[in-house]
Structures are given as structure tokens and as C-alpha cells.
Amino acid sequence: MDDHGRGSGPRPPDSGEDPLDPGTPDPLPYEGVWRFTAPAVDASVPQARHAVRDLLYRQGVPVSDDLVQGLLLIVSELVTNAVRHAALLSPMLGVEVAVGAEWVRVSVEDNHPYRPTALEAAHSETGGRGLLLVREVTREAGGICDVEHTSSGGKVIWAALPLKSVRVS
């Protein structure tokens, strides 16, 4: 798994903060964007999970154990989906972790144009529940998730969770 380094501090698009405005507070020490690339093979699933876990701890991101477990489950499911469904058109995939002052976002990007939907799986089926699980874990943490098309014709699936975990009933 290749680490392509850290970009500028992430800001949600609706935050109203302007990075060029001197009144904007300096990023916290753990804020940043990190991107890893990996081949679309089964071995990349645990590698991505371990890379994300290690990154969160190395950067000192203030995450609870429950939030870490949720993020790692989301990363595992999203990378697994990319490996299973996009590998033919996307031999490489990207995993990104963006950490802001109050949130953390994980995303997986591939070059396959198909935009997946969370489908109900029959109880007898062993697969087909990954995106449902991602949505549920995200919802329970008080976060949001979505799928977006990339300029190259692929897609990025992401989930953003608040660092202060909120339980939704």
C-alpha cells in the first residue's frame, strides 16, 4: 500500500471557513488528508484497515474505541466492494482518510462507473449487506455517507463521522 502523503487540512464544504482568511483558526495537530493506493485484491482489505487504524493512532486523532471500530468496519466493507465489483475496470483503488477538527471521513475510490445501491439481501445469502452495514454504522454514529462520481468516470464512496459520537434512536 503506497502512502501519497498528506494534503492540506480538510474542511467540510459547508463549514464557511476560508483557508485564505487569516481569521481562520490553525488546524489542530491531527487534522489532515492522507491517501493510500492499493491493488484491487483481497489482501488489500486488511492492509487498508490496518493502515487506517495506525494512521488514526499515529496522528493522535481523538477517537473512541467504538468510533475506530466503526470506521474500520466501513473501510473493510468499502474496500471489499471495490475488490469484488470494480477490480476488472479498476486494478488500483484509493483509500483516503480526511480528519477535521470535529469529524473524520473515510473514502474508497475506484475507476468503475457503476454507482452501487444498498440492496436488501435475503437472510440465506452470505453477502450483499455491505453498503447496508456502512449506512447503519454511519447513521448510528451520527454521520453521513454518499457515493459521488469522479471526473475520470469512476466513483468514490465515503462516510463522514463526528469525532464526538452521537447515538441516533
Side-chain angles (χ1 to χ4, degrees):
M1 197 163 261
D2 298 320
D3 179 355
H4 290 282
R6 180 168 79 164
S8 61
R11 300 278 186 241
D14 60 352
S15 70
E17 295 179 8
D18 181 356
L20 300 178
D21 178 5
T24 300
D26 289 334
L28 295 169
Y30 57 81
E31 288 184 84
V33 178
W34 296 266
R35 183 172 175 82
F36 307 93
T37 57
V41 297
D42 289 338
S44 293
V45 176
Q47 288 176 349
R49 186 175 53 244
H50 293 272
V52 170
R53 181 197 62 209
D54 294 348
L55 173 71
L56 293 171
Y57 290 130
R58 183 176 67 242
Q59 292 305 121
V61 179
V63 288
S64 67
D65 288 341
D66 287 345
L67 189 62
V68 170
Q69 293 308 312
L71 286 167
L72 297 180
L73 179 62
I74 289 168
V75 167
S76 293
E77 291 297 334
L78 296 182
V79 173
T80 297
N81 280 353
V83 167
R84 286 189 182 161
H85 304 293
L88 196 59
L89 295 178
S90 186
M92 295 297 288
L93 53 94
V95 177
E96 186 174 278
V97 180
V99 183
E102 299 176 355
W103 55 273
V104 60
R105 173 181 149 145
V106 293
S107 60
V108 174
E109 181 178 344
D110 64 57
N111 291 322
H112 197 291
Y114 174 70
R115 183 182 171 114
T117 56
L119 302 174
E120 291 290 337
H123 291 298
S124 61
E125 293 182 33
T126 58
R129 294 182 181 86
L131 289 179
L132 289 172
L133 190 55
V134 167
R135 284 188 177 170
E136 186 61 22
V137 168
T138 302
R139 184 191 67 78
E140 284 186 15
I144 55 174
C145 60
D146 202 1
V147 179
E148 299 170 358
H149 290 285
T150 63
S151 59
S152 63
K155 66 182 165 303
V156 60
I157 305 176
W158 58 268
L161 307 179
L163 290 178
K164 305 269 192 245
S165 186
V166 176
R167 187 123 181 123
V168 177
S169 310

